[in-house]
Amino acid sequence: MLHGCKPALDVLIIGAGQSGLAAAFGLMRSQVTNILTLDKAEEGQEGPWLAYARMHTLRSPKHYTGPDLDIPSLTYQSWHEARFGAEHWQALDLIPRMLWAEYLLWFRRVVGVIVRNGCELREIAPAAGGLLAATVQTAAGIEIFFARKIVLATGQEAMGNWSIPEPLRHLLATALASGADTIDFAALRGKQVAVIGAGATAFDNAATALEAGAAEVHLLCRRAEIQVIQPYRWLTFRGFLRHFSDLDDAWRWRFMRAILELREGFPQATYDRCARFANFHLHEGSPVEAAKEVGNEVELQTPRGIISANFIICGTGTHIDFSERRELKNFADNIATWADRYQAPENERSPRLGRYPYLADDYALTERRPGQTPWISDIHLFAFASTMSFGPSGSSINAMTTAIPKLVHGLTRSLFRADVERHWASFKAYNGPQAVVARPTQASKEQG
Ligand SMILES: Cc1cc2nc3c(=O)[nH]c(=O)nc-3n(C[C@H](O)[C@H](O)[C@H](O)COP(=O)(O)OP(=O)(O)OC[C@H]3O[C@@H](n4cnc5c(N)ncnc54)[C@H](O)[C@@H]3O)c2cc1C
């Protein structure tokens, strides 16, 4: 389709991390090829792997299939065996994160996903002809892309940002970082470091600070006892991954509230990486209640006393707040949330999870006030925030092989329906004979 003099895309995918790549691959396998994937990062720097992921290996078991969509020759295992041999694979415990990043680049090249890097989506607006206009910042300036559909595969913080607990928000950036920030760990040598949170990311940051020579690292866990259960291990079975989204709202809410409130546990190796240091201190039952700067230290007040630190790293995950994302600004206040659509029973309430977007069955955003921004039904969210509606899906390696087909089905269904009149006209005009039938003429009958 043409819009002005610029061809419109069928699907514009934002984000060339593993989710964006897998979505593009899934679409290509369904013969949707008029697509483009954009990422603000430079090639090879997409996602957390080489940026702020501070673990040595992935946490998920090595045999999980992911962007390969269950095609054996495209799995991480196949790539690893081709590169290092089958024995090496057998001996491998978990996938090194640097190799995962390398595999994703290989995957993208070998399946032919077209990515333009250095392109940041800034705004989405409706355009003529039922299209969406995506305003994109590139090195050369602003470029507008027109598309029938946009898939946001923008990662963990797609619908909000990395969390900083309220009592710390007034602190200067010189004393505070989130686990997703670039941190000069060498500068923490000899310093007192506090890490807030007790999930895998918190431990990874604590370990990196310890390995960089921090004098002491205090990890503050708000729970009375640290959480060692990994709910994502339990839920990784095909029935749950494939059919969770078919459940009614009450069941979806019940499961995901329990799972997301529990939060993710951490693997043994992640814990051991910290525990081997005598200067590592785990403080359970220690939510930060207040923070005060005293000289070049920050005093963190907890129910169990004061902990002083020169530098604080928050490993407290992400929160949902549509207004914090520039690209959502034209419609942020009209995205329906779970709180808009579902009233949880008293004992299952959670304002935090109520802020998650309430998605349609094709991952599309839905309207809080129907009719005000109907075009947002062409914006599909395949990111961590899809989790309340779909269970693990976007941003989850374990779920790709079940979630991507659902996303692709939703996109092709919608494109096909929108084109039905054109298909009908095309069908009516279709008159290409498949075979030539020889009918006897009067003359040939007479001869015979
Ligand atoms: C530290 C860490 C470790 C993890 N380890 C595991 C693990 O072991 N196993 C597992 O299953 N999961 C793990 N995860 C969860 C998940 O697999 C990762 O977050 C993964 O990166 C998600 O892939 P994604 O493609 O959805 O998002 P990302 O990889 O984050 O990719 C999103 C992309 O979108 C781009 N982008 C964002 N906004 C814009 C914009 N406006 N315009 C253009 N581009 C944009 C970003 O540059 C980025 O490249 C981990 C997550 C983290 C943070």
Side-chain angles (χ1 to χ4, degrees), residues 26-339:
L27 283 167
M28 287 155 68
R29 292 194 75 212
S30 279
Q31 301 175 357
V32 182
T33 52
N34 179 27
I35 63 176
L36 180 65
T37 304
L38 304 180
D39 201 296
K40 63 183 177 182
E42 292 311 313
E43 180 169 338
Q45 297 300 313
E46 301 88 355
W49 314 113
L50 303 183
Y52 59 86
R54 300 188 170 112
M55 70 284 189
H56 298 314
T57 63
L58 294 199
R59 295 161 192 143
S60 38
K62 65 177 181 179
H63 62 271
Y64 282 1
T65 52
D68 52 81
L69 305 184
D70 276 346
I71 295 174
S73 58
L74 292 174
T75 57
Y76 178 83
Q77 178 178 351
S78 291
W79 178 80
H80 191 101
E81 287 185 349
R83 179 95 195 269
F84 304 105
E87 270 181 34
H88 196 274
W89 166 257
Q90 287 302 329
L92 185 74
D93 180 20
L94 292 166
I95 299 173
R97 94 181 134 80
M98 313 291 256
L99 289 184
W100 181 251
E102 220 181 292
Y103 159 74
L104 289 176
L105 269 181
W106 169 83
F107 171 82
R108 141 182 174 180
R109 215 173 35 246
V110 89
V111 303
V113 176
I114 295 174
V115 178
R116 270 186 62 184
N117 285 96
C119 293
E120 182 176 6
L121 173 70
R122 291 289 178 86
E123 188 181 342
I124 304 176
L131 295 173
L132 296 170
T135 304
V136 173
Q137 179 73 54
T138 72
I142 292 289
E143 211 175 315
I144 311 285
F145 292 84
F146 295 97
R148 299 174 71 191
K149 296 272 177 194
I150 290 182
V151 173
L152 295 174
T154 40
Q156 300 276 330
E157 72 277 34
M159 300 304 269
N161 212 337
W162 296 92
S163 295
I164 303 288
E166 201 282 321
L168 300 172
R169 283 186 207 147
H170 66 282
L171 295 177
L172 294 175
T174 45
L176 180 74
S178 87
D181 287 332
T182 304
I183 298 173
D184 180 2
F185 280 93
L188 300 182
R189 186 172 188 81
K191 299 275 170 64
Q192 298 284 331
V193 177
V195 177
I196 316 298
T201 294
F203 275 96
D204 291 338
N205 278 278
T208 310
L210 289 160
E211 289 161 5
E216 285 187 302
V217 174
H218 300 271
L219 190 137
L220 278 65
C221 166
R222 75 191 148 87
R223 290 167 208 263
E225 266 188 35
I226 204 156
Q227 207 285 100
V228 291
I229 307 296
Q230 173 52 295
Y232 279 68
R233 284 292 163 86
W234 175 83
L235 61 72
T236 302
F237 59 96
R238 285 284 156 121
F240 192 91
L241 295 174
R242 184 174 290 152
H243 297 299
F244 172 81
S245 59
D246 298 327
L247 297 174
D248 63 20
D249 286 355
W251 272 114
R252 287 195 292 169
W253 178 270
R254 183 168 301 150
F255 265 116
M256 285 328 294
R257 188 196 72 95
I259 290 163
L260 293 178
E261 294 272 285
L262 198 56
R263 301 205 178 207
E264 289 195 51
F266 48 85
Q268 187 66 49
T270 305
Y271 173 75
D272 293 345
R273 199 176 149 205
C274 291
R276 71 190 176 89
F277 287 89
N279 53 342
F280 171 67
H281 309 285
L282 171 62
H283 302 269
E284 293 173 304
S286 300
V288 178
E289 295 168 329
K292 191 166 74 176
E293 280 170 89
V294 181
N296 64 350
E297 288 194 338
V298 177
E299 287 184 357
L300 300 170
Q301 190 183 313
T302 79
R304 299 199 173 176
I306 287 181
I307 293 165
S308 295
N310 305 113
F311 196 75
I312 301 159
I313 304 172
C314 297
T316 37
T318 56
H319 61 263
I320 303 284
D321 183 351
F322 309 143
S323 69
E324 291 189 39
R325 295 290 293 203
R326 178 166 32 189
E327 66 268 35
L328 308 181
K329 73 168 187 288
N330 284 340
F331 50 95
D333 74 341
N334 201 36
I335 302 173
T337 63
W338 268 82

